[in-house]
Amino acid sequence: MAVSSPFVIELASAQREELEQVANSRTAAYGRVQRAQAVLEAANGCPNAAIARRLGRHVDTVRRWRKRFAAEGMAALTDRPRPLGRPRCAPEERVKVIAAATAVPPDADTTWSHRLLAEHLSELGISASQIGRILATVDLKPHLVGGWLTRPADPQFFDKAADICAVYRICPPNAVVLSVDEKTGITARVRKHPDTPKQPTRREFE
């Protein structure tokens, strides 16, 4: 047994005529058309659940439309203003974000990330996701780093490499071959050359 709504819709002839015009309109906003159809169905005694099935809407939505029409009349067909989205950053704040992303990071072994930029610019109150959207508008990707090497080419490199490989292949009598390389787990504390500020950032090898 359907539960009757406490909000009974009773229409004057002028209201019904206007609602029918909106409900059959092909140019009115879709939401306005559906609200008019729901109100007409409600005025004819149709329960909320049946109206919701017929219009393909949730029953709570139909219940809200009925309640609003009972309180506001024809004004209930109009869309209510939506709440404002997230606040937009001022142009000055956007410039500060871009300037920071193109500057040298505070430590030699770091690159700018959205989180690090948000912490660095904490006085602006801008989140890491907002910083990501700002940088995306200007195609800035400060987390990308390209390597470069200033060491000049050695014309005798291949001869030296062949000598070293020969020691590995044929160990001299009564000798021990020790191979020493950099420890990859230790990050460089200071770099020989500063990073270039162009985008993407270019970092020298040494």
Side-chain angles (χ1 to χ4, degrees), residues 34 48 51 59 78 85 91 105 120 145 150 160 168 174 189:
Q34 280 214 318
N48 293 333
I51 298 173
V59 66
T78 305
H120 182 69
V145 177
T150 57
K160 294 177 181 179
Y168 276 93
N174 302 320
R189 303 299 295 272

Side-chain angles (χ1 to χ4, degrees), residues 126-144:
I126 301 177
S127 66
S129 57
Q130 283 180 299
I131 286 177
R133 287 189 291 272
I134 292 172
L135 297 183
T137 60
V138 291
D139 197 26
L140 270 181
K141 301 174 182 178
H143 60 284
L144 297 181

Side-chain angles (χ1 to χ4, degrees), residues 30-100:
Y30 181 69
R32 185 176 176 85
V33 170
Q34 280 214 318
R35 292 186 193 99
Q37 293 172 346
V39 171
L40 286 170
E41 295 278 0
N44 293 333
C46 191
N48 293 333
I51 298 173
R53 287 194 300 271
R54 195 168 303 172
L55 298 179
R57 304 302 294 260
H58 195 278
V59 66
D60 289 342
T61 302
V62 174
R63 188 177 294 116
R64 186 168 60 250
W65 288 348
R66 180 194 285 262
K67 179 180 178 180
R68 187 181 170 196
F69 188 87
E72 303 176 14
M74 297 300 294
L77 300 184
T78 305
D79 287 330
R80 287 185 173 178
R82 296 182 180 274
L84 297 176
R86 62 176 64 90
R88 294 182 178 272
C89 295
E92 296 80 6
E93 294 176 334
R94 294 171 60 86
V95 169
K96 288 182 180 180
V97 171
I98 295 171

